[in-house]
Amino acid sequence: MKVAIASLGKDTNSEVSPQAGRAPYYLIFEDGELVEVWKNVFSIGGGGVGPAVAKIMADKKVKKIISSNFGEKMKDALNAKEIDFEEKTGTVEKVL
């Protein structure tokens, strides 16, 4: 199962991002192994970032996203795409 963790940095020692939609990076794991570091192109910009990130994650076949906080629009978009989400804090390695 693919799990994406919203992160402030590019490695597992980084802190989980306090904002899912505007997280600078997403570390994507499959069966516990890091398979991709995605630079969030939507981290800076206008509105609609949560649904845009949800679409990208669905395209990448992610089944669960972890972040410190999710906005309502992103929660709705994740539910529509049948992606689970969970709010956790700490380092990426710790929450994985």
Side-chain angles (χ1 to χ4, degrees):
M1 175 173 87
K2 281 191 174 179
V3 175
I5 301 177
S7 176
L8 294 177
K10 299 178 184 180
D11 60 56
T12 58
N13 294 320
S14 301
E15 289 291 316
V16 172
S17 177
Q19 295 180 308
R22 298 207 184 270
Y25 299 95
Y26 274 86
L27 278 61
I28 301 173
F29 296 85
E30 189 163 13
D31 300 323
E33 296 291 323
L34 181 62
V35 294
E36 182 179 354
V37 176
W38 180 67
K39 182 172 176 24
N40 183 2
V41 297
F42 304 109
S43 65
I44 299 173
V49 296
V53 170
K55 181 186 181 319
I56 295 290
M57 292 297 127
D59 291 347
K60 292 179 177 290
K61 310 263 189 272
V62 168
K63 298 296 180 192
K64 183 176 187 175
I65 296 178
I66 298 171
S67 181
S68 296
N69 187 43
F70 291 87
E72 290 304 315
K73 290 180 183 176
M74 186 166 186
K75 287 179 181 179
D76 291 344
L78 292 171
N79 283 329
K81 302 215 176 281
E82 299 181 350
I83 297 174
D84 292 331
F85 54 91
E86 187 174 353
E87 293 181 347
K88 289 188 174 184
T89 59
T91 64
V92 171
E93 184 175 45
K94 179 184 168 191
V95 302
L96 182 62

